[in-house]
Amino acid sequence: TVREAVSYTPNLVAPTTNQPSTQTFYLRGIGEPDPFQESAIAVYSDDVLLPRPLNSNLYFDDVERIEVLRGPQGTLYGRNSSAGAVRIISHEPNGTAEGSASIGLGNYNAKETRAHLSGSLGNDLYGSLSFVNLERDGAVWNDTLKKKVGNLNLTAVRAKLRYKPNDDLDVLFSLWG
């Protein structure tokens, strides 16, 4: 995951946030702690800008690689990249059939379900589907509300469809949410 990649990248910090689908970054000490503000570090998923770090795209298992580009990247990536850019590149579907699934359980009724499936759909048509579901009961009792707060309930899906009839034409459609 993106959070795991931080431990292998010098000068990149991803502080823990109170929302699991929100991630802010600091690169060489430059960053923005407020997830509603535009950061000095541009975050891209498959070359699509994620203007605010309020997304669930960081949890998918089909990540091929994560690239961290240090320093001003305005020439390549435009605004919001004065400190650098983080590119999350997911696997593109191809003719190789592959899949994975995992289920995890933890305290506070935590449940984690992940699945990824990719392969050929017919003549020159390939597809992939990734799914993640994270659930957990709250761990903090709120006397005012008379209930536990801090529940986690996150579900995300990414689907890709690729049409490649020859070496000159390669069309990729990606949808996630």
Side-chain angles (χ1 to χ4, degrees):
T1 66
V2 174
R3 291 181 182 176
E4 293 169 340
V6 170
S7 63
Y8 300 106
T9 309
N11 299 318
L12 180 66
V13 177
T16 304
T17 61
N18 60 352
Q19 293 295 323
S21 63
T22 302
Q23 185 60 67
T24 58
F25 294 98
Y26 291 87
L27 188 56
R28 295 181 174 172
I30 302 171
E32 175 62 50
D34 186 358
F36 293 103
Q37 299 297 321
E38 294 182 355
S39 178
I41 301 168
V43 179
Y44 287 84
S45 175
D46 292 330
D47 290 325
V48 175
L49 174 66
L50 306 176
R52 307 280 191 279
L54 302 169
N55 63 65
S56 57
N57 202 32
L58 306 175
Y59 283 97
F60 292 114
D61 283 345
D62 64 342
V63 174
E64 179 179 312
R65 69 183 184 276
I66 298 171
E67 298 176 357
V68 178
L69 306 162
R70 295 183 180 90
Q73 300 294 324
T75 303
L76 296 174
Y77 295 104
R79 69 179 203 165
N80 303 340
S81 60
S82 58
V86 175
R87 293 182 63 211
I88 304 164
I89 310 296
S90 64
H91 288 288
E92 290 188 0
N94 55 36
T96 306
E98 53 188 25
S100 65
S102 67
I103 296 174
L105 301 172
N107 57 351
Y108 300 104
N109 291 323
K111 300 173 199 85
E112 178 179 299
T113 308
R114 297 172 180 270
H116 171 70
L117 185 63
S118 179
S120 178
L121 300 174
N123 290 344
D124 305 320
L125 189 63
Y126 313 101
S128 69
L129 182 66
S130 292
F131 169 82
V132 63
N133 178 269
L134 307 172
E135 296 178 15
R136 184 193 68 229
D137 291 343
V140 178
W141 179 261
N142 185 316
D143 282 331
T144 305
L145 298 174
K146 303 291 186 215
K147 67 176 187 176
K148 286 188 175 183
V149 294
N151 296 346
L152 169 63
N153 190 358
L154 178 127
T155 302
V157 177
R158 174 170 36 217
K160 286 186 164 188
L161 194 60
R162 182 179 184 196
Y163 177 66
K164 187 174 180 182
N166 55 47
D167 290 338
D168 296 328
L169 180 63
D170 192 350
V171 179
L172 180 66
F173 177 75
S174 181
L175 178 67
W176 54 270

